[in-house]
Every structure is written in structure tokens, then in C-alpha cells.
């Protein structure tokens, strides 16, 4: 466990640094969107491109990995949304609560953290899950959030907007371009390659710091809006994300391994990805599609704090 904490502690410490910097206003809230822009449109795409170009195509586009991850995501979404609707939540809150329970922070946190734990061989499955979550799970939840809104075409219009947003998201394109470059043996012009390397090296620390700043800002906005979700509801979603999701991936994955459909070495990074805290960008989607952003922000905050302990425990169990 000491070795695991040696790897995981710096990652969560950077998140804490960003949280404290924004909470104390040492980093103004107005600066957080700028950090997000740098990470999302510059540093992280370069990191994903670099890993995509060096990862075998069958790791990035393994059909059984994609099917397993999608099935687990759909089951988590269905269970969480059904539970929320049973408690009287509207479709926007049910859908965004389901998304925050199913979408791990694989882009900002998962790729560098799991790389540090398992090596470059684990990066392919993690990026494959990121593609599934960005393209399919997010679109499903956005469609559910608008179910019954704006007439019979509300959900279809929401999915259309989600797909347009996905097309503008540089992360999946970076992975795909990197995979194409690797398959074709394409090499960047050396000065450009060095620039990409510098930006890629900046992605991990700045992204983790930004997560903390986003959490501090979201918490402040939730307090100002005075919309406080019940602790039991937030706790149930957090448990679904940190316990149910990785357990489901492990259980279905073990069935696939025993059937000879999946290599055991590909299951471990999938389980660790599922054990990550919730993705911080779900808070932005909740605000855009009319859900209780404070509720989603509290889930992200709780899962990030608890994941320092729970993620290390999962690593000790499966890695």
C-alpha cells in the first residue's frame, strides 16, 4: 500500500492545491475557464495524440473492451436514472445524476495516473473508455435529460446537440489522429514534435490543478444558489460511482476473461478507470441542460475526496 500511495498521493495533492488556490481566491474564479481552455484545447490533446500514436490499434479499438465498457455504462445509467425518477426527480436531474455516476475522470486524471501505476501498456484501454464515454454515454444521458421536453423531438434535438458538441471536443479527435499517425508510421516535423511533447508534459499537472479549481468554484456556486441536494442522494450516487461501477466492470470482465474473450491484462486498467472519481466536465453539462449543478458538483467533490482512499484500495486488490 505504501508504494501505491507513493504514486497516487501526488496526483490527489495537485487536485488539493488547485482547490485551495481557488477557495482562498489566490486563483480568481475568473481564471478557471482559462485553465480549462489550456488543458482541453492544448495540453491534453497533445498528450492523447502522443499516446494514441504509440498504442497498438487493437488496444484502442478492441471491440470486446468497447462492448464491456458500454454495457457497464448503460447499466449504471439505467439504474441511477431509475432510482432518481422513483424519488421524484425530473429527467434533467435523473440523467445528469446518472452521467456523473457512470463517467469517470479518465481524461484529466485517469490516463496519467494509470500510466504511472501500470505503464504504457495500460493506456490503450483507458483511452478506449474515454472514447465510449464522450461519444455514446454522454449522448445517451443528454438525450435522457431532455426526454419529453420541447415536444416529441426534445430528446432527438438534445442528442443532436450532444453529437455536435462531441465533434467540437478535441479529445476524441486527438486520440483518432494519434492512432492514424501510428498506423501510418507518420512522424511530426521535429520542432513541431518537440512543441507537442512540451504541451503533453504540461497536461497532467495542470489538468489535476484545474480539477481542484473547478471543484472549488462549483462548490461556491452551489452555496450561492442555495440549492443543496440531500446528503443521502449525493452519497448514493458517489457509492455507485466508486464501488458499484468498478465492481460491475470487474464482475462482467471476469466472465469475459473466463470465456476467453478478454485478456486479463486488459481488465485491470478498465477496473481502475471505473474506480476513478466522477468527471469534472459533467458539472458544465448539468448547468447547460437544466439540472441541479450543485448536486452534481457535490458528487464530483465527494468522489474526488473519497477516491484518494478507495482508488488506492482498488489498486491494491486488482493490480
Amino acid at each position: 500500500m505504501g508504494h501505491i500511495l507513493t504514486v497516487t498521493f501526488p496526483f490527489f495533492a495537485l487536485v488539493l492545491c488547485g482547490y485551495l488556490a481557488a477557495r482562498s481566491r489566490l486563483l480568481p474564479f475568473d481564471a478557471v475557464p482559462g485553465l480549462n481552455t489550456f488543458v482541453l484545447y492544448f495540453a491534453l490533446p497533445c498528450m492523447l495524440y502522443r499516446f494514441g500514436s504509440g498504442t497498438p490499434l487493437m488496444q484502442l479499438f478492441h471491440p470486446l473492451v468497447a462492448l464491456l465498457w458500454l454495457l457497464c455504462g448503460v447499466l449504471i445509467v439505467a439504474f441511477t436514472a431509475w432510482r432518481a425518477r422513483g424519488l421524484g426527480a425530473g429527467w434533467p436531474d435523473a440523467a445528469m445524476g446518472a452521467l456523473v455516476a457512470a463517467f469517470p475522470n479518465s481524461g484529466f486524471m485517469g490516463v496519467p495516473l494509470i500510466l504511472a501505476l501500470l505503464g504504457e501498456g495500460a493506456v490503450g484501454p483507458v483511452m478506449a473508455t474515454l472514447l465510449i464515454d464522450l461519444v455514446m454515454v454522454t449522448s445517451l444521458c443528454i438525450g435522457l435529460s431532455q426526454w419529453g421536453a420541447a415536444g416529441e423531438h426534445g430528446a432527438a434535438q438534445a442528442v443532436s446537440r450532444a453529437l455536435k458538441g462531441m465533434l467540437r471536443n478535441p479529445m476524441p479527435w486527438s486520440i483518432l489522429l494519434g492512432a492514424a499517425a501510428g498506423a501510418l508510421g507518420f512522424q511530426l516535423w521535429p520542432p513541431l514534435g518537440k512543441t507537442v511533447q512540451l504541451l503533453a508534459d504540461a497536461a497532467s499537472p495542470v489538468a489535476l490543478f484545474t480539477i481542484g479549481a473547478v471543484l472549488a468554484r462549483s462548490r461556491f456556486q452551489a452555496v450561492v444558489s442555495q440549492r443543496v441536494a440531500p446528503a443521502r442522494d449525493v452519497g448514493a450516487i458517489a457509492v455507485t460511482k466508486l464501488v458499484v461501477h468498478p465492481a460491475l466492470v470487474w464482475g462482467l470482465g471476469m466472465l469475459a476473461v473466463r470465456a476467453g474473450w478478454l485478456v486479463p491484462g486488459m481488465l485491470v486498467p478498465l477496473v481502475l478507470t471505473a474506480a476513478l472519481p466522477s468527471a469534472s466536465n459533467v458539472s458544465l453539462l448539468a448547468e447547460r441542460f437544466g439540472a441541479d449543478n450543485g448536486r452534481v458538483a457535490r458528487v464530483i467533490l465527494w468522489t474526488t475526496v473519497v477516491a484518494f482512499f478507495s482508488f488506492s484500495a482498488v489498486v491494491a486488490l486488482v493490480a
Side-chain angles (χ1 to χ4, degrees), residues 84-100:
R85 290 288 293 170
L87 294 175
W91 277 113
D93 284 331
M96 290 299 111
L99 182 59
V100 83

Side-chain angles (χ1 to χ4, degrees), residues 130-142:
L130 182 58
L131 284 171
I132 295 295
D133 286 331
L134 287 171
V135 177
M136 305 189 74
V137 177
T138 299
S139 299
L140 169 64
C141 290
I142 290 176

Side-chain angles (χ1 to χ4, degrees), residues 63-279:
L64 288 176
V65 168
L67 182 61
L68 172 64
W69 190 261
L70 179 61
L71 176 60
C72 292
V74 170
L75 289 174
I76 292 293
V77 166
F79 168 74
T80 310
W82 169 78
R83 176 184 173 276
R85 290 288 293 170
L87 294 175
W91 277 113
D93 284 331
M96 290 299 111
L99 182 59
V100 83
F103 193 171
N105 208 335
S106 47
F108 280 30
M109 180 180 286
V111 173
L113 178 54
I114 295 175
L115 168 68
L117 287 166
L118 302 179
E120 291 194 5
V123 173
V126 179
M127 293 200 295
T129 68
L130 182 58
L131 284 171
I132 295 295
D133 286 331
L134 287 171
V135 177
M136 305 189 74
V137 177
T138 299
S139 299
L140 169 64
C141 290
I142 290 176
L144 286 176
S145 73
Q146 302 302 297
W147 193 267
E152 60 181 358
H153 301 296
Q157 291 174 352
V159 172
S160 176
R161 290 168 61 190
L163 292 175
K164 290 178 181 177
M166 181 270 296
L167 292 174
R168 292 193 294 267
N169 190 323
M171 286 195 287
W173 290 112
S174 302
I175 297 172
L176 295 175
L177 287 174
L184 297 173
F186 173 77
Q187 296 290 331
L188 293 172
W189 179 48
L192 180 59
K194 183 62 175 179
T195 304
V196 169
Q197 180 183 344
L198 289 172
L199 285 170
D201 291 341
S204 178
V206 180
L208 294 167
F209 187 89
T210 303
I211 292 172
V214 169
L215 291 175
R217 185 184 63 170
S218 298
R219 184 180 183 278
F220 174 78
Q221 291 172 341
V223 171
V224 170
S225 66
Q226 295 183 343
R227 295 178 65 182
V228 179
R232 181 178 299 178
D233 177 43
V234 173
I237 298 175
V239 169
T240 302
K241 177 72 214 67
L242 297 178
V243 179
V244 178
H245 192 193
L248 181 63
V249 172
W250 180 83
L252 294 181
M254 285 301 298
L255 292 177
V257 169
R258 290 174 181 173
W261 298 338
L262 192 67
V263 178
M266 300 189 76
L267 179 58
V268 173
L270 294 179
V271 175
L272 295 188
T273 302
L276 291 167
S278 302

